[in-house]
Amino acid sequence: MPVINSNYCPYGTGNYAKDVKVSGKLVLLSGLKSEKIGSSGCLAGKVILMPYCRASEEPDFLEQIRRLCQMDIEAVVLFSVTGTRQTLNFQDKELTSSNVPIIFITHKTACEIFAASGMSFPKISEKKKEDVFFRELICSFHLNMKGDFEEVQSEFRTIRFNDNLIDSSSIKELGVLTDSAMSFVARLFAPINPVLFHQTVTCFSDFDEKIFYTSHWGRGMATQHGNFSVFEEKLPAYELAVHEMTHSVFYKNWGETISFLDEGIAMYAEAKSGDPDKNHKKTAKYLTNKELLPLEELLKIDIGADKRFTEMGYAAAGSFTGFLIESYGMKKFLNLWVLGINWEGVYHKTTFQLERDWHQWLASQNPKQQMIH
């Protein structure tokens, strides 16, 4: 698997602009301090095989990789000595700009490489941290990976995709859809004057390809670097496109907030573009059946991550956000977002009071059937 950088693309692809072609002899490098990297022998044209253990506790680890990436090497191949993949934080800016591919292989694959080279894996993992292990193996490493994605430009979007797996005509249709969705979002949120940024959308043919290139599970992901989503031959529903565009607009203009409000504003916009009542109907049903979680608990949910409450979380977030906007106005909601969830400062009410008002509103309100055109 490729290691993913902070731009949500594999190292070595130049932000989806370059195919990865690696071919070279493997050199095992372990325990060498970063300042000694340059004196470790001739590494040009080699593929560097590096074990790691408790990477988060080893501040020199990223510096070692950064220095290696400044040399004329083919690639860095990482493997965990514990047999499990640990989280690696590769947010280093110099590392992010590197054109050197960084790849992760499984513990099992590493064992097979060592066995083919007449080495025993445990002898490496048992070496002391301060010891240096440097050895050229008899094995070579070869990798070809599609990294140069095609691009289609539309009014509001640059859409990137793997043209080996996705047809360009379908992507052009997607561009028309997303432009239409963005125009709707601009009209809906006109009272708070969002700046509309030209954004990049990266499409993947299926979940496996998306996980491979981004290490992110799920159908879609909105980040400061653009949207990353699974593309289907059947174009996504207009409402879903509005949902994702809303995420992008709020993130780009006003930054992050808690999951409940983040999904809430997107679900609010989604409902406005299709069935204005859908969030309220679903939430009212949860409330009637006494299944709706208290607002204090809903505010803590990471919607989409906690599968137990995902469906409820989306609907309740959209309903509560709609209640706030329709009762107090969009500008106050934006103040809540920007000021860091200061309920009493913005609405002059506690969350318990707002929850009571919301429940009463749900029980009595016949939401207006209004559409934004």
Side-chain angles (χ1 to χ4, degrees):
M1 292 284 287
V3 174
I4 310 305
N5 64 26
S6 59
N7 292 323
Y8 292 96
C9 68
Y11 281 100
T13 64
N15 200 18
Y16 295 102
K18 176 185 174 184
D19 290 335
V20 172
K21 296 180 180 180
V22 174
S23 181
K25 296 286 291 185
L26 277 167
V27 172
L28 177 63
L29 185 61
S30 173
L32 192 64
K33 295 296 183 182
S34 59
E35 63 270 16
K36 303 268 183 145
I37 291 289
S39 61
S40 61
C42 182
L43 299 179
K46 301 294 195 302
V47 177
I48 310 303
L49 185 62
M50 289 184 65
Y52 68 89
C53 183
R54 300 185 304 278
S56 60
E57 300 173 14
E58 299 177 6
D60 194 49
F61 182 72
L62 287 179
E63 182 64 15
Q64 292 176 32
I65 297 177
R66 186 186 67 79
R67 294 204 178 203
L68 282 170
C69 290
Q70 292 175 344
M71 304 175 70
D72 190 21
I73 63 172
E74 280 285 300
V76 175
V77 178
L78 305 174
F79 66 93
S80 171
V81 298
T82 63
T84 58
R85 184 170 183 175
Q86 302 169 6
T87 301
L88 298 178
N89 181 13
F90 284 169
Q91 302 299 314
D92 183 279
K93 293 183 180 179
E94 290 186 68
L95 201 60
T96 301
S97 63
S98 170
N99 285 322
V100 176
I102 305 175
I103 301 146
F104 179 88
I105 62 174
T106 65
H107 182 86
K108 180 181 178 181
T109 301
C111 288
E112 292 173 351
I113 290 173
F114 297 137
S117 300
M119 298 176 61
S120 173
F121 185 92
K123 289 183 179 178
I124 298 170
S125 61
E126 289 167 4
K127 294 191 71 65
K128 296 180 181 179
K129 186 175 178 181
E130 62 270 16
D131 288 345
V132 176
F133 203 98
F134 178 85
R135 178 172 174 179
E136 183 168 334
L137 308 183
I138 63 174
C139 300
S140 295
F141 187 91
H142 305 280
L143 172 69
N144 290 318
M145 181 178 74
K146 176 72 172 179
D148 185 10
F149 279 28
E150 291 296 312
E151 292 187 354
V152 167
Q153 301 284 341
S154 66
E155 182 180 358
F156 294 110
R157 291 289 180 267
T158 295
I159 306 178
R160 301 184 299 203
F161 63 101
N162 184 343
D163 61 337
N164 290 337
L165 300 174
I166 301 176
D167 180 66
S168 61
S169 61
S170 298
I171 293 295
K172 291 176 182 177
E173 292 178 15
L174 177 62
V176 173
L177 175 69
T178 56
D179 281 354
S180 176
M182 180 59 85
S183 295
F184 173 86
V185 169
R187 295 192 298 274
L188 178 63
F189 295 110
I192 52 178
N193 301 313
V195 176
L196 301 183
F197 296 90
H198 189 94
Q199 292 198 351
T200 299
V201 178
T202 306
C203 293
F204 302 98
S205 60
D206 55 28
F207 286 94
D208 288 341
E209 188 188 21
K210 180 173 175 290
I211 293 168
F212 181 85
Y213 281 97
T214 68
S215 288
H216 179 269
W217 294 82
R219 183 176 301 277
M221 172 177 60
T223 77
Q224 60 180 324
H225 303 290
N227 291 347
F228 301 80
S229 61
V230 174
F231 177 80
E232 297 178 352
E233 286 301 322
K234 180 181 177 181
L235 288 178
Y238 177 70
E239 292 89 344
L240 179 59
V242 168
H243 181 115
E244 295 302 332
M245 296 303 104
T246 301
H247 276 311
S248 297
V249 167
F250 270 74
Y251 188 90
K252 284 283 189 178
N253 279 272
W254 302 293
E256 297 179 331
T257 188
I258 60 173
S259 176
F260 193 70
L261 293 186
D262 183 31
E263 291 301 339
I265 194 64
M267 289 298 293
Y268 165 78
E270 178 180 323
K272 283 292 186 181
S273 69
D275 177 4
D277 298 346
K278 72 174 186 176
N279 295 321
H280 304 314
K281 290 175 183 176
K282 290 180 180 179
T283 305
K285 185 175 181 180
Y286 284 118
L287 180 61
T288 301
N289 295 337
K290 298 182 179 180
E291 297 172 342
L292 186 64
L293 291 178
L295 181 59
E296 282 292 319
E297 293 185 31
L298 288 169
L299 293 173
K300 298 175 183 177
I301 292 177
D302 185 0
I303 298 175
D306 191 335
K307 295 182 179 179
R308 297 172 300 167
F309 305 115
T310 291
E311 186 174 352
M312 177 193 297
Y314 277 117
S319 176
F320 183 64
T321 299
F323 158 72
L324 291 177
I325 291 175
E326 293 177 31
S327 300
Y328 299 98
M330 199 171 286
K331 291 183 179 179
K332 279 200 171 184
F333 179 82
L334 180 60
N335 287 339
L336 179 70
W337 187 296
V338 173
L339 295 176
I341 321 303
N342 184 353
W343 300 101
E344 294 188 50
V346 174
Y347 294 109
H348 307 295
K349 290 186 177 183
T350 66
T351 54
F352 295 104
Q353 292 171 321
L354 287 169
E355 179 179 40
R356 178 201 60 201
D357 294 347
W358 174 39
H359 287 183
Q360 291 175 351
W361 183 84
L362 277 174
S364 62
Q365 174 91 355
N366 180 20
K368 298 178 180 179
Q369 302 289 328
Q370 292 183 341
M371 295 280 287
I372 302 296
H373 296 288

